[in-house]
Each structure stands twice: as structure tokens, then as C-alpha cells.
Amino acid sequence: MFEDDNRPAASALPSSTPAGWERATIEKLLFAQLKEQRAARRWRLVMRLLWLGVFSALAWGIWNANRLTSSVSTPHTALIEIEGTIAANAEASAENVVASLNSAFEDSGAQAVVLLINSPGGSPVQAGIINDEITRLKTLHGKKVYAVVEETCASAAYYIAAAADEIYVDKASLVGSIGVLMDGFGFTGLMEKLGVERRLMTAGQNKAMLDPFSPQDETQKAYIQSMLTEIHNQFIAVVKKGRGTRLKETPDTFSGLVWSGQQAVAQGLADGLGNVDFVAREIVKAESIVDYTQRENVGMRLARQFGVSMGQGLFEAAAAHSFAPLK
């Protein structure tokens, strides 16, 4: 047999395997897909662990918060701490303190309620809510309330303490500051020196009242002062009602001055010297102390922060996944 010399050489036949660049492209696509699948599996695992952490923290927080609200049958002194600034979003908010008060008053074993105060003051609104609730609960349950001052009981904190049946202090405590203030800054002189022009447009002639970049208007200033005076008079009325004939009023009593604990006793702003243990043992006659303070525990705080962080992480991850360039 003779071979056909016109057949194409073996090297010229179509190859069953792709060329080098085709192979590299296919390998790159396959590796990219594999990498994406692995990343998706890791992300699902991380998300499951994150949600598990959130639910665990919430469950622990709820359990820990409710653990102290169960009824304590044996006789004891109920303790509620009012610590730090009194404000809506603070630990010493009306929401937290009122919840603590309700738990303490409703417990049949609580012989009396002691407010352990260490606060420079804060919101008159929050303090007013707490003061009103103390008065209501005392009438409803027939239990006495004692305020015990550690370092400071000033301004809105004293507004709360005035609702107590008796107030006890340390001789070096700071007590009083029965006054109201509203502060701010004015930058008009500085703006003139820097050559900065303030461009402010409002609808309503008093809408920009107290704007720090505009000259102070005397009419608006008088209006604010009358409002502060009104709130101050409310504060004075609460103190007079709470302290009654024990108060030895002087021209300085409601001037905003702060006194030592010993001076406060002499002026009738407090009833005597003593700490929590003294009041529980000698006044309430129930030496056992149970803390009813509603606190934002670590679990709830972590859960809230974790939720915000996780939401931001989800957004960033989604954005990165949607707009990531193909490599």
C-alpha cells in the first residue's frame, strides 16, 4: 500500500485540547467560581454565628433584667440607685427609675425604699416625672421613701430627693443647687473679625432664637428668662412641699448655691447624717438590702451595638459584592 503524500501532517491536525490562552482563561473562571462559592459559604457561616450571638445576648439580657424583679418575700430594704446625669437616654432616666420604683413598691417584702443618689442633676422634665411617681406610689402603697446622698445631690437630683420622706447625707456631700440654667455661646464678634457673613433664613420671627451666630435679641432674651423663672418657681414649690416646716428658708436657699451635707442639715435641706446601711438598719429596721435598680446590662448594650455594627457590615458587604471588579 502506498501512503497519500497529500495528507496533512500530524502537527497540522486540529488539536482536541484548547490552546494555552484558552486553558488559562477556563482555569481562571473555574478558580474564580470556586473562590466565590467558598466566600459565600464562609459568609453564611459568619451570619449564622452572628445571629446566634445576637439572640444569645438578648436572651441573657432579658433573663438578667428580670432576675431581680421577682418578688422577694422576706422583709428587706429596697434600694434604687440614681447615678450620673438625669436624662432621657441616660441610666438615670425617668423610664429606668420609674420601672425600679414600681418593682420595689410592689414587692410585699420591701419595708421601705431608699434612693441612693449621686448625681449633679440634669433634666427638670425627667426629675419631675420621677418626683410625681414617688409621690403617687407612696400614697398607693403606704411605704416610706428615704433619700441617701453620697457625693452629690444637686439641681434635678435634689428635685427628686425632695419627694422623699427623709433625706440623709454625708457631712461632706454636696447638696442643693436649687436653680435653673440655660447656657450657650455667641460667635458674632469672632465672625466679624474673620470676615464671615451669617446667612440665615427663617419662617417665623423667633425661629432662630438663641442662634449663636446672630446678635442676641433683648426681647427673646427676656422671654427665655421668664421661662427659666417659671421652671425655677416649679422647683421651689416642689422643695417647699417636700421639706415643709423643716426647711429653714433664707435669701440664699433658692439662689442656686450648693452646701455641704452638714450645712444642708442645718438649713433643713436634709434630715441627718447617715449612709445606706445606717438607714436600713436604724430607720427602716430591715437590715437586708435588695437592689432594684434597672440597669442597661452588658448583654443588652452589646446586642444593640452589635446590631448597628452588623447592619453597617451587611451594607458594606453587599456593596462590595455588587461592585467588586472581576479579576
Side-chain angles (χ1 to χ4, degrees):
M1 295 182 64
F2 297 95
E3 293 183 355
D4 187 0
D5 293 336
N6 294 324
R7 285 185 312 176
S11 61
L13 289 174
S15 176
S16 60
T17 59
W21 68 272
E22 294 173 326
R23 179 182 299 173
T25 301
I26 293 172
E27 288 178 351
K28 185 179 290 186
L29 289 173
L30 290 173
F31 279 121
Q33 185 178 7
L34 181 62
K35 184 178 180 180
E36 185 174 351
Q37 290 175 349
R38 288 176 177 172
R41 284 197 298 269
R42 284 197 299 267
W43 178 249
R44 285 196 297 270
L45 178 61
V46 169
M47 285 300 300
R48 289 169 183 169
L49 291 174
L50 290 178
W51 281 113
L52 179 61
V54 169
F55 288 128
S56 298
L58 286 173
W60 181 83
I62 293 171
W63 174 80
N64 193 55
N66 292 335
R67 185 176 54 175
L68 220 54
T69 60
S70 59
S71 179
V72 180
S73 58
T74 57
H76 62 274
T77 297
L79 176 70
I80 298 173
E81 292 186 19
I82 299 177
E83 179 85 19
T85 303
I86 299 164
N89 296 319
E91 193 163 283
S93 66
E95 180 182 6
N96 289 341
V97 175
V98 168
S100 304
L101 287 167
N102 278 284
S103 297
F105 272 97
E106 290 170 2
D107 193 319
S108 59
Q111 305 302 296
V113 178
V114 173
L115 305 176
L116 180 59
I117 301 176
N118 186 18
S119 169
S123 165
V125 175
Q126 297 290 305
I129 294 171
I130 297 170
N131 182 288
D132 291 342
E133 191 65 10
I134 292 171
T135 302
R136 185 187 74 85
L137 290 171
K138 285 198 304 181
T139 302
L140 180 64
H141 294 279
K143 295 180 181 180
K144 287 195 172 184
V145 175
Y146 301 95
V148 175
V149 180
E150 285 192 328
E151 303 290 338
T152 307
C153 179
S155 195
Y158 191 80
Y159 196 119
I160 295 172
D165 293 283
E166 295 178 10
I167 301 174
Y168 290 88
V169 299
D170 183 86
K171 57 183 178 297
S173 298
L174 298 179
V175 182
S177 187
I178 303 172
V180 183
L181 65 83
M182 178 182 291
D183 59 355
F185 297 93
F187 299 98
T188 53
L190 178 62
M191 291 173 63
E192 291 175 1
K193 291 181 180 179
L194 296 176
V196 178
E197 179 186 0
R198 170 68 162 164
R199 295 176 180 175
L200 177 65
M201 295 178 289
T202 64
Q205 62 182 2
N206 293 311
K207 185 61 180 177
M209 185 164 52
L210 298 180
D211 174 49
F213 300 103
S214 301
Q216 192 172 45
D217 182 275
E218 291 302 320
T219 302
Q220 294 175 349
K221 179 181 176 182
Y223 174 80
I224 293 295
Q225 185 59 56
S226 67
M227 185 169 60
L228 294 177
T229 301
E230 179 184 347
I231 297 172
H232 188 207
N233 287 333
Q234 295 170 2
F235 194 171
I236 293 172
V238 165
V239 174
K240 286 184 175 181
K241 178 183 176 182
R243 300 306 298 165
T245 58
R246 293 170 292 181
L247 184 65
K248 300 176 178 62
E249 186 177 343
T250 70
D252 291 329
T253 301
F254 305 118
S255 68
L257 285 177
V258 178
W259 291 275
S260 69
Q262 199 160 358
Q263 291 172 328
V265 173
Q267 296 188 42
L269 293 170
D271 296 283
L273 304 179
N275 57 22
V276 171
D277 293 327
F278 168 82
V279 172
R281 183 180 63 253
E282 304 296 335
I283 308 299
V284 182
K285 306 297 183 182
E287 194 168 354
S288 177
I289 299 173
V290 177
D291 191 349
Y292 287 80
T293 309
Q294 297 281 337
R295 295 183 177 87
E296 185 183 33
N297 58 61
V298 177
M300 296 296 288
R301 184 163 58 250
L302 287 176
R304 188 177 64 253
Q305 294 175 351
F306 178 75
V308 173
S309 300
M310 187 176 64
Q312 183 179 359
L314 283 172
F315 176 79
E316 293 175 352
H321 181 73
S322 301
F323 302 104
L326 180 63
K327 295 182 180 179

